Amino acid sequence: KQMGLGHEQGFGAPCLKCKDKCEGFELHFWRKICRNCKCGQEEHDVLTSNEEDRKVGKLFEDTKYTTLIAKLKNDGIPMYKRNVMILTNPVPAKKNISINTVTYEWAPPVHNQTLARQYMQMLPKEKQPVAGSEGAQYRKKQLAKQLPAHDQDPSKCHELSPNEVKQMEQFVKKYKNEALGVGDVKLPGEVETRATGKNNLNNDNRSTSAAVGAMEDKSSDQKASQYSCYRCKLNMKEGDPAVYAERAGYDKLWHPACFVCCVCSELLVDMIYFWKNGNLYCGRHYCDSEKPRCAGCDELIFSNEYTQAEGQNWHLKHFCCFDCDCVLAGEIYVMVNDKPVCKPCYVKNHAAICQGCHNAIDPEVQRVTYNNFNWHARQDPHASSCCSKCLIGQKFMPVEGMVFCSVECKKKMMS
């Protein structure tokens, strides 16, 4: 088995989707999937929280969110300082009081713990990142999915040219300056004054009108004291925490459970958002809105030459058979579950088997299908099992993999 550089990461980690069917994670040499079960890296319990914190730390480096990171003394690597929240609830037991502690692997970085607790309770139960729960698994998977390391770090990409590295670095710098943000959790009442102040991050022409608009609305808002969520348009309760996004301006607010990506509708992991044209995006879908992404290696494409096939984009060298990795340019291929497969692999691994002759049916040959049974559509094999009458376009009776033109034929054969 060949093990490439850096491919030891997560080696042997269990697949959360296939359970025992997968022998353990082994990274494909350029696809971001497991060679054993073909599931994605994010389906496996691969990244340790240490590695995740490095990735997010790198994302916040050289941004205005450096308060959320700490540089490690020994190697100077920026680490994400997650706000871990531990709640202790005394639970009255029969004889004595036992202490029940709940650890949230991430909580909004606010000073007011009651607010953080309220925020957590407004998320769907199965998405609350309580250590050891499905919510913690969900957060982990979303970290991998929404913020792929290969969308910000050229060293995590497969064989980029020096020019591609340069383009990628410029792209990352641009999104850090223009789109990346982290949500703030606040009570709507606290933000009134801020909304009328400068929208300090809206450095386009709209910022002035947005601020003026907020001033005009202010009086009517206060009377009704109603705030509506930018996503679901329903009113917010005054005492409930809301999420604000600085890049969107403080005149907009969201319910905690509504602070989601406009493409995948998943909760924005750790409230990390990308703001563009009035919409919130997760990192992955923001990048997709700016660059083509290779359906083979999952990386953004920075070269001018790439291919488009089956409604997806591919690096030229990555338009390959999903089973054997042979390059498919100019070859016959068949799509199996949205993945291209070369003809030999299709015939070997996926082709329908003819009930008549028990051979695989070539993908280019006509076939007849009935109730999960298949036959070659050529005259001879697809004849009645008894009298060789051609059945194409005729009524027929299938019995245990045989086909008959009539009840008489069936009786004759069965006797």
Side-chain angles (χ1 to χ4, degrees):
K1 283 189 177 176
Q2 88 193 66
M3 293 279 282
L5 210 58
H7 283 217
E8 296 73 27
Q9 186 180 331
F11 185 69
C15 179
L16 306 167
K17 203 169 168 182
C18 303
K19 305 284 192 289
D20 300 340
K21 286 195 200 116
C22 172
E23 302 161 30
F25 186 68
E26 186 185 336
L27 187 59
H28 182 279
F29 63 106
W30 53 266
R31 299 182 196 271
K32 311 290 183 289
I33 60 169
C34 171
R35 290 173 60 171
N36 289 322
C37 69
K38 302 267 176 102
C39 287
Q41 205 167 343
E42 75 277 356
E43 299 290 356
H44 292 76
D45 206 353
V46 169
L47 288 181
T48 63
S49 44
N50 192 4
E51 286 157 329
E52 285 165 352
D53 290 344
R54 280 178 180 220
K55 175 178 78 173
V56 180
K58 192 170 172 57
L59 182 65
F60 290 149
E61 196 177 23
D62 306 321
T63 68
K64 54 171 305 189
Y65 297 101
T66 45
T67 50
L68 294 173
I69 59 179
K71 294 256 171 145
L72 290 185
K73 294 247 182 350
N74 51 3
D75 53 10
I77 288 181
M79 287 288 274
Y80 175 36
K81 293 189 306 204
R82 264 178 304 132
N83 182 31
V84 175
M85 182 168 71
I86 300 173
L87 299 180
T88 20
N89 304 319
V91 182
K94 284 207 169 79
K95 286 189 177 138
N96 49 4
I97 287 185
S98 68
I99 299 292
N100 166 27
T101 48
V102 176
T103 304
Y104 289 96
E105 295 189 349
W106 169 86
V110 287
H111 298 302
N112 176 345
Q113 197 169 21
T114 315
L115 202 59
R117 193 183 212 151
Q118 276 179 296
Y119 165 91
M120 281 304 181
Q121 282 158 357
M122 288 176 76
L123 298 180
K125 188 102 180 85
E126 70 282 4
K127 294 184 177 175
Q128 298 175 13
V130 172
S133 72
E134 63 170 323
Q137 272 308 358
Y138 169 77
R139 174 180 170 270
K140 214 169 171 174
K141 186 173 171 178
Q142 293 308 318
L143 264 176
K145 237 189 164 94
Q146 295 181 20
L147 302 169
H150 51 268
D151 278 10
Q152 57 153 326
D153 184 350
S155 73
K156 296 277 192 280
C157 297
H158 183 68
E159 296 177 351
L160 296 184
S161 70
N163 181 29
E164 288 170 313
V165 170
K166 207 164 121 190
Q167 283 193 53
M168 182 171 187
E169 285 168 345
Q170 286 167 339
F171 174 71
V172 172
K173 193 174 172 180
K174 190 168 182 282
Y175 75 55
K176 284 186 178 188
N177 286 333
E178 295 175 10
L180 173 68
V182 182
D184 288 325
V185 175
K186 298 194 179 313
L187 293 170
E190 298 178 335
V191 184
E192 281 292 321
T193 47
R194 296 191 65 170
T196 57
K198 284 206 296 290
N199 277 359
N200 45 353
L201 256 161
N202 263 358
N203 39 20
D204 56 14
N205 307 334
R206 288 192 308 249
S207 59
T208 47
S209 58
V212 173
M215 281 181 187
E216 288 164 3
D217 294 343
K218 192 175 168 204
S219 52
S220 58
D221 263 9
Q222 272 176 330
K223 282 201 288 278
S225 86
Q226 279 182 345
Y227 305 87
S228 60
C229 170
Y230 186 70
R231 179 169 191 255
C232 72
K233 307 291 182 262
L234 296 176
N235 287 343
M236 315 275 292
K237 294 204 189 86
E238 186 127 2
D240 280 349
V243 183
Y244 288 84
E246 191 173 5
R247 292 203 187 262
Y250 281 92
D251 53 335
K252 301 179 185 64
L253 69 172
W254 286 262
H255 289 111
C258 290
F259 200 63
V260 297
C261 168
C262 67
V263 177
C264 60
S265 301
E266 295 293 354
L267 276 186
L268 291 164
V269 68
D270 294 12
M271 298 193 302
I272 298 167
Y273 69 87
F274 289 70
W275 180 253
K276 178 181 169 181
N277 300 340
N279 285 309
L280 292 169
Y281 288 84
C282 69
R284 168 179 291 273
H285 291 119
Y286 169 81
C287 290
D288 285 351
S289 76
E290 294 278 321
K291 296 277 173 204
R293 186 184 294 280
C294 174
C297 68
D298 196 50
E299 291 170 20
L300 299 171
I301 299 175
F302 289 98
S303 66
N304 300 328
E305 290 189 326
Y306 62 95
T307 185
Q308 288 181 305
E310 306 295 333
Q312 303 185 86
N313 304 301
W314 315 74
H315 284 114
L316 297 177
K317 61 183 178 191
H318 288 160
F319 186 52
C320 298
C321 169
F322 194 65
D323 287 3
C324 73
D325 289 327
C326 73
V327 177
L328 291 173
E331 300 294 328
I332 292 169
Y333 64 89
V334 184
M335 291 304 280
V336 178
N337 303 329
D338 288 336
K339 305 279 193 281
V341 173
C342 70
K343 194 172 152 181
C345 282
Y346 178 80
V347 170
K348 191 170 98 200
N349 305 330
H350 308 281
I353 301 297
C354 172
Q355 280 298 115
C357 66
H358 301 295
N359 291 324
I361 302 175
D362 186 296
E364 294 169 275
V365 165
Q366 266 194 314
R367 62 175 165 151
V368 179
T369 301
Y370 179 82
N371 267 0
N372 293 338
F373 287 130
N374 298 276
W375 292 269
H376 284 98
R378 286 198 322 273
Q379 260 66 358
D380 312 336
H382 194 61
S384 162
S385 302
C386 171
C387 68
S388 308
K389 180 174 163 191
C390 172
L391 295 177
I392 288 179
Q394 306 299 315
K395 289 189 170 142
F396 67 93
M397 305 167 59
V399 182
E400 295 166 12
M402 295 184 284
V403 281
F404 298 102
C405 60
S406 62
V407 180
E408 291 69 46
C409 236
K410 178 189 145 194
K411 281 185 183 149
K412 216 190 293 179
M413 185 78 174
M414 291 303 196
S415 64

